[in-house]
Amino acid sequence: MLRSITIAVSHLRHFENLTLDHNIGINRIFESEIQSLNNTRLKKFSLFNSTVNNIEQGAFKHLPFLTVLDLSNNYMGNEALLNVTSGVKGLALKYFRLQALVRLNTFPSESLVPLQNTSIFRLDLSLNYFTKLTNLPYIPSLKSLWLTQCNIENIDEGAFDKLPNLEELDLDSNGLFINPLIRTSWYIRYWIFHVKAKARKTINLDNDKEQSYTYDAFVSYNSRDNYWIAQHLIPALELEDPRYKLCVHERDFILGQLITENILESIEASRNVILVLTEDFIKKLCLERNTLEMKHNRKRECLKSTRISSFINTSVIKRLDSPTKGQS
């Protein structure tokens, strides 16, 4: 099946995005199947939630423009992963997503070694299972590493020493017994940036000029609630009349940009903020309660104009007001 698809688009010289998610018929990837795409300008290739268990070494080396590769939710292990990483040398790869690989039971340090010869910006290994995080190999270009919900309990001393340009590390929802400040997740950091953004907006906004927004609301939620967000909240607000335009981080954030920058820009571009208050969300908020309350009190006057709608996933969804122009 994969061969027929790649051949069908092989003559499209401006072709950039190939998404083959949720295809249970794709369990192996051969170099000859991908090679026919070398005349395209393919930048994003996604095989999320398929049944891939084996990938031939060098399968992706014929995609010089590839910047985003998503192989999450497949049956790959260390061997298949090594075949991929050893074949991406010299590519433009920036974002490598490897969430929930069924056969990956230990941290794949050796399989990541070939990435030192790439320009990779973000590596996402979230939702895998390895209780110990061993020393990562030298990857000079890596700036963002996501390891959320991996059941990590121990981290080797000096585990990140060979990542000289690392700027962002997300270890949310693991079993680590370390300073809570180190475990601060994106939705905690969001509040700090939220205060700064709204304070700056209040100071600079001309009261006589109506503020324009890209979104009706930015949705802030815990990653454990992804299913409810996708299956209930988004359809209820975006697909039912009146329709609203939401900013959801998994769908609308800019790839290759730090998550904190994405959050700040998304809040500034949104008319409202929706907090999905679940038990997991509140537990994380309590970790930083004192710090955040102090920052919030200092800027309280600047936040008077901010409207925040809160939903609990067992509650009836309430409607936002004033849909963004252009939404039908």
Side-chain angles (χ1 to χ4, degrees):
M1 182 179 74
L2 181 58
R3 185 186 304 275
S4 62
I5 294 173
T6 57
I7 292 176
V9 300
S10 61
H11 300 294
L12 303 177
R13 302 187 65 85
H14 300 287
F15 188 71
E16 295 187 351
N17 190 337
L18 180 58
T19 300
L20 298 172
D21 299 347
H22 312 291
N23 276 289
I24 61 173
I26 302 178
N27 49 56
R28 296 192 176 195
I29 300 176
F30 296 100
E31 180 183 351
S32 59
E33 295 175 315
I34 306 298
Q35 188 173 1
S36 58
L37 295 172
N38 63 349
N39 291 322
T40 69
R41 297 185 62 87
L42 191 68
K43 294 182 179 180
K44 179 182 178 181
F45 189 17
S46 179
L47 278 164
F48 173 83
N49 197 32
S50 299
T51 57
V52 177
N53 58 69
N54 188 26
I55 299 177
E56 186 177 4
Q57 186 173 357
F60 300 103
K61 69 180 182 181
H62 302 287
L63 305 175
F65 300 101
L66 188 67
T67 58
V68 179
L69 180 59
D70 189 350
L71 298 173
S72 299
N73 288 60
N74 279 288
Y75 291 89
M76 295 167 53
N78 267 301
E79 183 179 353
L81 179 55
L82 181 59
N83 284 346
V84 176
T85 57
S86 60
V88 296
K89 179 181 179 180
L91 301 186
L93 189 64
K94 296 292 185 183
Y95 184 17
F96 197 7
R97 195 165 182 255
L98 296 165
Q99 292 188 1
L101 301 182
V102 175
R103 295 178 180 173
L104 191 65
N105 298 317
T106 58
F107 189 74
S109 292
E110 293 184 6
S111 298
L112 300 178
V113 170
L115 293 179
Q116 64 184 276
N117 299 313
T118 69
S119 58
I120 187 168
F121 176 91
R122 172 172 294 149
L123 177 63
D124 187 355
L125 285 162
S126 300
L127 300 173
N128 285 292
Y129 183 83
F130 32 79
T131 58
K132 184 177 182 179
L133 183 61
T134 56
N135 291 356
L136 279 89
Y138 177 62
I139 309 178
S141 63
L142 191 67
K143 292 189 176 183
S144 178
L145 178 61
W146 292 1
L147 295 164
T148 65
Q149 298 184 50
C150 292
N151 294 284
I152 298 172
E153 297 177 356
N154 298 292
I155 299 178
D156 282 356
E157 184 176 352
F160 310 107
D161 287 355
K162 295 182 179 179
L163 304 177
N165 293 303
L166 190 68
E167 296 179 1
E168 179 181 57
L169 176 63
D170 195 338
L171 289 166
D172 179 36
S173 300
N174 281 287
L176 298 169
F177 292 94
I178 57 178
N179 191 319
L181 290 176
I182 300 177
R183 299 177 60 190
T184 302
S185 56
W186 75 263
Y187 49 83
I188 297 292
R189 295 195 299 270
Y190 139 75
W191 277 107
I192 299 174
F193 283 92
H194 170 66
V195 170
K196 292 180 180 178
K198 290 300 181 181
R200 184 168 65 252
K201 183 182 296 183
T202 302
I203 295 172
N204 297 330
L205 183 62
D206 183 353
N207 293 327
D208 297 327
K209 183 178 180 181
E210 183 180 356
Q211 176 75 6
S212 60
Y213 297 95
T214 303
Y215 304 100
D216 289 303
F218 171 74
V219 184
S220 178
Y221 58 95
N222 186 284
S223 57
R224 293 179 182 270
D225 301 312
N226 286 348
Y227 179 83
W228 185 82
I229 296 295
Q231 298 297 320
H232 299 282
L233 180 65
I234 294 176
L237 293 184
E238 291 193 336
L239 302 181
E240 297 180 10
D241 294 328
R243 299 185 183 187
Y244 300 92
K245 188 175 182 180
L246 303 180
C247 180
V248 182
H249 77 271
E250 292 185 333
R251 180 188 66 187
D252 300 310
F253 277 11
I254 300 173
L255 295 178
Q257 182 170 295
L258 292 178
I259 192 168
T260 47
E261 295 176 358
N262 267 310
I263 294 170
L264 177 57
E265 293 177 2
S266 297
I267 291 172
E268 291 179 330
S270 301
R271 186 186 306 276
N272 298 274
V273 175
I274 299 176
L275 301 181
V276 182
L277 298 178
T278 60
E279 183 178 356
D280 289 316
F281 190 102
I282 294 172
K283 283 181 180 178
K284 290 297 180 180
L285 288 177
C286 289
L287 293 176
E288 293 288 333
R289 178 179 177 182
N290 293 335
T291 301
L292 294 177
E293 282 186 349
M294 180 176 65
K295 290 180 178 291
H296 181 70
N297 289 335
R298 290 177 181 175
K299 302 294 183 178
R300 181 172 295 175
E301 291 303 316
C302 296
L303 293 172
K304 287 183 177 179
S305 61
T306 304
R307 291 172 291 169
I308 300 179
S309 303
S310 301
F311 293 141
I312 299 179
N313 61 358
T314 56
S315 301
V316 177
I317 296 177
K318 297 170 63 178
R319 289 284 170 184
L320 301 176
D321 59 347
S322 303
T324 298
K325 294 180 180 180
Q327 297 295 302
S328 57

